[in-house]
Amino acid sequence: MQTRRYHHGDLRAALLTRAERTLREKGPGALSLRELARDLGVSHAAPSRHFKDKQALLDALALAGFERLDEALAGSRAAGETFADRLGGLVRAYVDFALANAELLDLMYTVKHDPAASEELITAAQRLGAMAVELVAEGQRSGEVREGPVDDIGMPVFTTLHGFASFAVSSVLSAEEVESGLDAVIAYMVRGCAPS
Amino acid sequence: MQTRRYHHGDLRAALLTRAERTLREKGPGALSLRELARDLGVSHAAPSRHFKDKQALLDALALAGFERLDEALAGSRAAGETFADRLGGLVRAYVDFALANAELLDLMYTVKHDPAASEELITAAQRLGAMAVELVAEGQRSGEVREGPVDDIGMPVFTTLHGFASFAVSSVLSAEEVESGLDAVIAYMVRGCAPS
DNA sequence: ACCTGAACACCGTTCAAGT
DNA sequence: ACCTGAACACCGTTCAAGT
């Protein structure tokens, strides 16, 4: 029998860690503040000191997800000689994150009904998009990407990236189809539909 | 004071209609079986005759959404002389549906934690993808789309379509950015990133 | 066949009170 | 500053009973 510990300031972090574990193992429907509190050995009212309501905890979880995805994508950009290689690395990293964090990615992009509250999350997503735009800008400088407003190419690239990962997450594409489709997606991002 | 009506078999339909309205007006968090029953003037236990649990109602709602999106996309395919025109019509129709049914589209692609239960929904999404693949196949026959396995081009096209709509729905792109970005997305789907 | 009413075991949120 | 315990108004689900 352990004495009741005070969570000396780390309850907030403990709630987030535990919440992500529950999200992964039991799905978003099973996420309850009271159960979280029970799991961590605090009273059911304790979480409210750190998150004003359940949505605030979900938002914090989503934001942490964006930060980790950001790091994963930034790390993927070093490798690759050509534009297509670097693009492939970005897609690979995004898809890997999606497969390893399906429920979390879903949460990150879930429609919040209060638009003001999710401003921070939208900014985080746009920061991700900026990485795709930056990659395209590099490609333009090296002549591997066609001329034109960089957003006109970078935004659709990010869109394809996200759509592919989203289909992986929602099982529209099976894990095998994701693996075998990766090269086709990259080729399409580079060449589009049109004949050479 | 109206006498308590029996819903002579249409309670199921009434629940779905009302649920979609609540989803649209108050968001998914506000969707409660008990409130739905109250709104329709039946006891809180009545819905269980028609949906075994809340998830079953959500699944039925999502499935109805796929059917309507299916019709909207099928209707969009008549118009357009060139491949690019028909592709544009498809994107336009998908985006219009997304903007008009944001919460519903989100629900349609939300990760279900029970993979078996959502088999029907996955099939519905794949039927949508088949429309993109068919469009690409037509383009190949007319020589407007490059050679190669049709899925290698059709799947990424559907991916871009969905990713763009998904960003519209989750406010990563504002309504204005969606409008002004449409042409860029279509051009990218046709030409990709590479120089001509 | 379809619905009611009561019951059960949960929720999220708030707030005085404790340490 | 941080947490507890009780209270409130809700849930989803089940099941005997009614029509």
Side-chain angles (χ1 to χ4, degrees), chain A residues 23 28 55 58-59 62 66 102-115 117-119 121-122 125 162 166 169, chain B residues 23 27-29 102-103 105-107 109-111 166-167 169-172:
Chain A
L23 185 67
Q55 189 59 52
L58 293 177
D59 288 348
F66 274 116
E103 299 84 0
L104 182 60
L105 190 67
D106 206 53
L107 181 69
M108 285 158 59
Y109 285 104
T110 285
V111 179
K112 311 300 178 302
H113 212 248
D114 179 4
S118 57
E119 219 176 313
L121 290 175
I122 291 174
H162 175 67
S166 170
V169 154
Chain B
L23 185 67
E103 298 84 0
L105 191 67
D106 206 53
L107 181 67
Y109 285 104
T110 285
V111 178
S166 170
F167 280 154
V169 153
S170 61
S171 306
V172 173

Side-chain angles (χ1 to χ4, degrees), chain B residues 4 11 42-46 49-50:
Chain B
R4 183 66 124 292
L11 179 56
V42 296
S43 84
H44 65 259
R49 284 284 134 189
H50 302 277

Side-chain angles (χ1 to χ4, degrees), chain A residues 15 18 55 63 77 88 95 103-104 109-110 134-136 146-149 155 158 165 169 191:
Chain A
L15 283 165
R18 186 78 197 197
Q55 189 59 52
L63 200 61
R77 286 177 61 199
V95 166
E103 299 84 0
L104 182 60
Y109 285 104
T110 285
E134 177 53 32
L135 187 66
V136 166
R146 60 184 162 87
E147 300 297 312
M155 182 272 288
F158 185 42
V169 154
R191 304 180 52 198

